[in-house]
Amino acid sequence: MSKRIPSRWKVKSPFDPAKGLVRMSWNKLNVFTLATKKQIDVSRRSVFQQKWAAKRELRAYHVPNITESQLLLRHWKSQLPLRQLTAKETENLPPVQALAFGELERRLDVVVFRSHFASSIFEARTAVVQGHVKVNGEKCPYPARRLHPGDMIAINPKVVPTLIPKKAAATAEDTEEAVNGASETAASPDASKTEEVQSETSESAAAVSKEGSEPTSEPTPEVSAAPDAEATKATEEAKPSKISPTEILAAKHPNSLRFNALPYMAPWMFTPAYLEVCYNTCSTILLRTPLPQPGAVEIPSPHAPDMHALVYEWYSSIKRSKTKRPPAAEPLVVNGQSVRLKTKFDSIVRARLKDERDVKSKLWAEKDEEERVMAFESKVERAASASASL
């Protein structure tokens, strides 16, 4: 009898429908969760509960493969990207906090998934770690690498799940011969049909000529109209069909890969505006970082922009608490008394006191220089008088 494995040792599936968390994946359970999920009603919750619920949902989607400490240390910026907009565009602008995860869109594994070169963020990370991805022509096994505008990535086509080996002939000539042979075979029944129609037409014309008073070798138009139409139609059908450019390209490259659509991939078949993807070469160029757009959010997400705003407040407060603050300044002393002013006035008063100290130190330096000069001159005079007395 096998022992029962404790639940804490079991590997939990990230696509468990009971959790109700949407991931970056084409998994059918994930698509089911995406289709049946409803927006969370946070109106009756406290502010902390709202932020925590939003953080749970968005972290499961955007950062499922890194820890929160790595997120805050490498990919979080409290300063959001901005751009100059007109007053009309600003009215339709969604919350700019929706770009809180903009730095994550520069990660190498995220760009691979957004380009449809991997079926999930986990497979994208595996492809990068195994060395199947190149950045600017050099192999890069680091999924956390942040790309810069203009960087180009290229992935090995053999690891792309939507590309499968094409069953073709060994050479391009054999492939072309096979295509031509298939077209001739398809055209042979039509050719025989054409010959039968033509023979029937000639026989009917001969019968009509015998019955008529005046012998003629040409068929009458009333009898030959229908057979001629059938013959023309059969001749047109007998012509071999034109070979499409895709078939010609496949014939020239028999070892190429062809696209094979996978189940449940349709909801993810979109390309963000900040990426330029070339599927013929399996490469992508990062054009820029995501920017605020009127009436739209450039970062793909199944969650509302208001939830992004809550997550921004959650992580920004943690980031501020962990940021090292400069040491406290010395107490401000004015007229022998320690005073505490607002930050703006404190800096003004400190600057004025510093200028006064600089002026005093300059005067003291000039006075010391004069005293040294006078002491040196008196010393020279005493030496001169002593030598004169001798």
Side-chain angles (χ1 to χ4, degrees):
M1 183 176 179
S2 60
K3 296 182 180 179
R4 183 179 179 182
I5 301 176
S7 59
R8 64 178 181 275
W9 292 348
K10 293 182 180 179
V11 179
K12 298 180 180 179
S13 173
F15 311 111
D16 187 1
K19 295 182 180 179
L21 299 175
V22 182
R23 312 280 185 175
M24 288 187 187
S25 175
W26 303 347
N27 188 282
K28 60 181 180 181
L29 297 178
N30 188 52
V31 177
F32 173 78
T33 303
L34 178 64
T36 58
K37 188 174 183 59
K38 298 180 180 179
Q39 292 293 339
I40 301 176
D41 184 14
V42 296
S43 58
R44 298 184 180 181
R45 300 186 183 184
S46 63
V47 176
F48 175 83
Q49 291 174 340
Q50 293 178 16
K51 293 181 180 180
W52 192 90
K55 186 266 299 184
R56 177 177 177 270
E57 296 286 339
L58 270 74
R59 185 175 181 273
Y61 179 77
H62 289 283
V63 282
N65 53 348
I66 62 175
T67 61
E68 287 190 349
S69 59
Q70 292 175 337
L71 170 65
L72 294 173
L73 183 63
R74 301 176 182 175
H75 310 290
W76 189 264
K77 287 186 177 181
S78 298
Q79 184 177 1
L80 298 173
L82 300 176
R83 55 174 295 202
Q84 189 174 2
L85 299 173
T86 61
K88 186 177 181 180
E89 292 176 341
T90 308
E91 294 177 356
N92 301 327
L93 191 69
V96 72
Q97 291 85 352
L99 301 175
F101 292 100
E103 285 295 314
L104 285 170
E105 297 298 315
R106 295 171 50 193
R107 279 178 60 101
L108 182 57
D109 54 353
V110 176
V111 173
V112 170
F113 175 76
R114 296 294 189 199
S115 304
H116 315 136
F117 297 148
S119 61
S120 67
I121 189 67
F122 310 105
E123 290 190 4
R125 181 184 181 91
T126 303
V128 174
V129 172
Q130 292 179 354
H132 297 296
V133 180
K134 294 182 179 180
V135 179
N136 297 329
E138 298 180 358
K139 187 180 295 184
C140 180
Y142 308 108
R145 174 170 176 175
R146 282 179 291 180
L147 302 178
H148 299 281
D151 288 350
M152 184 182 73
I153 71 166
I155 187 171
N156 186 2
K158 295 182 179 180
V159 300
V160 179
T162 55
L163 297 179
I164 60 175
K166 184 180 181 302
K167 297 180 181 179
T171 60
E173 296 178 357
D174 297 340
T175 306
E176 292 179 357
E177 291 177 0
V179 172
N180 295 333
S183 61
E184 291 176 359
T185 304
S188 59
D190 296 335
S192 60
K193 183 179 179 181
T194 306
E195 293 177 357
E196 293 177 358
V197 172
Q198 291 178 353
S199 62
E200 292 178 358
T201 305
S202 60
E203 292 176 358
S204 61
V208 172
S209 62
K210 289 180 181 179
E211 293 177 358
S213 59
E214 296 181 0
T216 176
S217 60
E218 295 181 359
T220 57
E222 290 78 3
V223 178
S224 62
D228 287 345
E230 293 181 0
T232 305
K233 184 178 179 181
T235 306
E236 292 178 355
E237 293 178 354
K239 292 181 179 179
S241 59
K242 295 183 179 179
I243 301 177
S244 64
T246 305
E247 295 177 351
I248 296 174
L249 186 62
K252 292 182 180 179
H253 304 278
N255 297 326
S256 61
L257 304 175
R258 65 183 181 87
F259 177 79
N260 180 40
L262 299 180
Y264 311 107
M265 66 182 294
W268 312 96
M269 289 295 101
F270 56 86
T271 304
Y274 48 85
L275 295 179
E276 184 68 28
V277 185
C278 180
Y279 297 102
N280 294 332
T281 58
C282 292
S283 59
T284 302
I285 298 177
L286 179 67
L287 302 178
R288 53 178 174 80
T289 56
L291 295 174
Q293 301 290 346
V297 179
E298 282 199 340
I299 298 180
S301 177
H303 303 287
D306 296 338
M307 297 186 68
H308 287 76
L310 293 172
V311 175
Y312 174 79
E313 295 175 4
W314 173 278
Y315 282 121
S316 295
S317 61
I318 299 176
K319 183 75 172 180
R320 286 193 299 268
S321 63
K322 291 186 176 182
T323 304
K324 294 182 179 179
R325 297 181 180 180
E330 298 180 358
L332 181 61
V333 179
V334 179
N335 298 330
Q337 295 182 356
S338 178
V339 296
R340 186 174 181 180
L341 303 175
K342 292 183 177 180
T343 305
K344 180 179 179 180
F345 299 105
D346 184 89
S347 59
I348 294 174
V349 174
R350 288 181 184 274
R352 182 172 58 83
L353 294 177
K354 184 177 179 300
D355 294 341
E356 292 179 356
R357 287 196 299 270
D358 293 343
V359 172
K360 288 182 180 180
S361 61
K362 187 177 181 180
L363 293 176
W364 291 340
E366 293 176 355
K367 186 176 180 181
D368 293 340
E369 184 68 21
E370 291 177 359
E371 291 178 354
R372 285 196 296 271
V373 171
M374 292 176 63
F376 180 74
E377 290 178 353
S378 61
K379 186 177 180 180
V380 171
E381 289 177 0
R382 288 196 299 271
S385 60
S387 60
S389 60
L390 294 174

